[in-house]
């Protein structure tokens, strides 16, 4: 009896399905479409993730993927381009001490490359807290004895001190020169390092010397060389967001906004300007083309 019930149940289910399908075939097209919408749930397509589009400025005024990205405005000092142009005019004669006696003029141009680079580094080490004329004189005396890594290591401290005197802190520089020269011979085969990080790790070598050594000895612009002249003038012209206390702080401020193409020029330009017009004490503001544009001049 149970099997008969099962057979009847299957029979009714099949009959119901056949009847239903038969009715569907007789529906009008519009009714069939309506019936389809009722009997079938709509297919849900995954939503496309919206992408954030970066604006590009195209040459024809339209946006395009190949255009240059819009630059985010950065801080820059007021009137700096006019101030720089005026300083170039005042420095056009190239007659400041740095122009004839700077580090790029103190080495022996006929010496092998490795020796030239060593002489550049040594002249920079001597130049700290020392006038260019005094540094050039010390370099001339050293070169007369054959200025190489080997010759310095063979020179006793007393003799080396007499040769470099009267550069600033000459006793300390004797010690640093000997230590650095020994490191160059042991670690760099008598050459100087080709990176700022390795240069500043040498005894007596600071960031300014390292960046100048990279530029003069290796021909690489690694950063702005900031000495006391550049530090003083940058603060007087307000070329930093706020007044800075050290040359290294000034360097970081300048590199944030000054176009990189000017990094190699700004040291020699401002050093000579500081030697001739923008003096540490009693600056010659009356002779300066930036008198009306310089905030410091208004306070004097």
């Amino acid at each position: 009896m149970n099997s008969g019930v099962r057979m009847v149940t299957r029979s009714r289910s099949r009959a119901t399905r056949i009847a239903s399908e038969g009715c569907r075939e007789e529906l009008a097209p519009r009714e069939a479409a309506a019936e389809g919408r009722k009997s079938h749930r709509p297919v849900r397509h995954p939503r496309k993730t919206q992408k954030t589009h970066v604006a590009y400025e195209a040459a024809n005024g339209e946006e395009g993927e190949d255009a240059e990205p819009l630059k985010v405005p950065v801080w820059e000092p007021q009137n700096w381009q006019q101030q720089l142009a005026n300083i170039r005019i005042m420095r056009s004669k190239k007659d400041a001490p740095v122009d004839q006696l700077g580090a790029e003029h103190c080495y022996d141009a006929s010496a092998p490359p490795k020796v030239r680079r060593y002489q550049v580094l040594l002249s920079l080490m001597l130049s700290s807290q020392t006038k260019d004329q005094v540094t050039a004189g010390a370099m001339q005396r050293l070169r007369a004895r054959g200025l190489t890594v080997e010759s310095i290591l063979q020179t006793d401290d007393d003799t080396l001190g007499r040769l470099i005197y009267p550069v600033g802190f000459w006793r300390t520089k004797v010690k640093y020169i000997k230590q650095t020269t020994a490191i160059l011979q042991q670690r760099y085969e008598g050459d100087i390092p080709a990176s700022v990080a390795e240069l500043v790790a040498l005894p007596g070598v600071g960031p300014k010397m390292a960046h100048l050594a990279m530029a003069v000895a290796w021909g690489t612009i690694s950063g702005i060389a900031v000495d006391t002249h550049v530090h003083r003038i940058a603060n007087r012209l307000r070329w930093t967001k706020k007044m800075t206390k050290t040359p290294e702080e000034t360097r970081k401020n300048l590199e944030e906004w000054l176009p990189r193409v000017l990094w190699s020029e700004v040291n020699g330009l401002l050093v000579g300007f500081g030697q001739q017009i923008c003096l540490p004490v009693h600056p010659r503001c009356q002779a300066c083309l930036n008198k009306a544009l310089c905030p410091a001049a208004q306070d004097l």
Side-chain angles (χ1 to χ4, degrees):
M1 182 173 181
N2 288 339
S3 90
V5 172
R6 284 196 295 269
M7 289 178 62
V8 170
T9 302
R10 283 198 298 269
S11 198
R12 286 182 180 178
S13 174
R14 185 178 179 186
T16 302
R17 180 168 55 83
I18 293 172
S20 175
E21 290 176 355
C23 291
R24 285 178 184 273
E25 292 177 358
E26 295 175 0
L27 290 175
R30 182 177 300 176
E31 293 173 340
E35 183 68 13
R37 286 195 295 270
K38 291 179 183 179
S39 59
H40 297 282
R41 297 182 63 182
V43 179
R44 302 179 65 89
H45 297 283
R47 296 181 61 184
K48 293 183 178 180
T49 303
Q50 293 184 350
K51 297 181 179 179
T52 302
H53 295 282
V54 179
Y56 289 85
E57 189 174 300
N60 59 2
E62 298 180 355
E63 293 185 357
E65 295 182 356
D66 297 331
E68 290 293 328
L70 293 177
K71 294 182 179 180
V72 178
V74 296
W75 177 91
E76 62 180 26
Q78 292 184 347
N79 304 315
W80 74 269
Q81 292 176 317
Q82 185 59 54
Q83 291 168 341
L84 180 64
N86 289 338
I87 293 174
R88 283 181 176 142
I89 293 173
M90 291 183 281
R91 292 279 289 114
S92 59
K93 293 183 180 180
K94 299 290 183 182
D95 54 359
V98 69
D99 297 316
Q100 286 81 36
L101 305 172
E104 64 270 28
H105 303 291
C106 288
Y107 63 84
D108 182 4
S110 63
K114 187 184 297 186
V115 175
R116 293 201 303 265
R117 289 191 287 267
Y118 174 67
Q119 292 182 358
V120 167
L121 181 62
L122 215 64
S123 70
L124 291 169
M125 295 177 68
L126 293 173
S127 69
S128 176
Q129 303 294 315
T130 304
K131 292 184 176 180
D132 288 333
Q133 298 91 325
V134 177
T135 300
M139 285 296 295
Q140 187 175 10
R141 292 189 293 273
L142 289 171
R143 285 172 51 190
R145 294 172 58 92
L147 182 51
T148 64
V149 167
E150 292 76 14
S151 68
I152 289 297
L153 291 177
Q154 293 171 4
T155 303
D156 61 81
D157 290 3
D158 290 339
T159 301
L160 183 57
R162 288 195 299 270
L163 289 170
I164 68 173
Y165 180 85
V167 299
F169 305 99
W170 62 274
R171 290 185 178 87
T172 301
K173 289 179 181 178
V174 166
K175 179 179 68 175
Y176 285 156
I177 288 172
K178 280 296 192 70
Q179 291 175 345
T180 289
T181 303
I183 292 172
L184 297 182
Q185 184 185 55
Q186 295 167 7
R187 300 182 186 175
Y188 299 97
E189 299 180 352
D191 208 340
I192 72 172
S195 73
V196 172
E198 292 175 292
L199 284 167
V200 296
L202 297 171
V205 179
K208 181 210 76 171
M209 302 177 202
H211 288 300
L212 280 176
M214 290 297 295
V216 179
W218 292 109
T220 300
I221 305 303
S222 56
I224 300 174
V226 177
D227 66 352
T228 55
H229 292 292
V230 179
H231 171 62
R232 178 179 71 255
I233 295 168
N235 277 277
R236 285 179 175 175
L237 292 175
R238 304 294 191 268
W239 280 11
T240 56
K241 289 183 180 180
K242 61 181 181 179
M243 299 296 286
T244 54
K245 297 181 179 180
T246 65
E248 183 62 6
E249 188 180 354
T250 299
R251 179 188 68 80
K252 293 177 181 178
N253 270 258
L254 290 175
E255 289 181 0
E256 286 182 356
W257 67 268
L258 189 68
R260 194 179 183 90
V261 70
L262 300 176
W263 288 11
S264 62
E265 176 190 16
V266 70
N267 176 266
L269 199 64
L270 295 188
V271 168
F273 180 57
Q275 291 175 336
Q276 293 180 311
I277 296 178
C278 199
L279 306 175
V281 182
H282 305 303
R284 299 169 182 169
C285 295
Q286 296 300 326
C288 182
L289 298 179
N290 283 327
K291 179 182 178 181
L293 299 174
C294 177
Q298 311 307 314
D299 300 332
L300 297 176

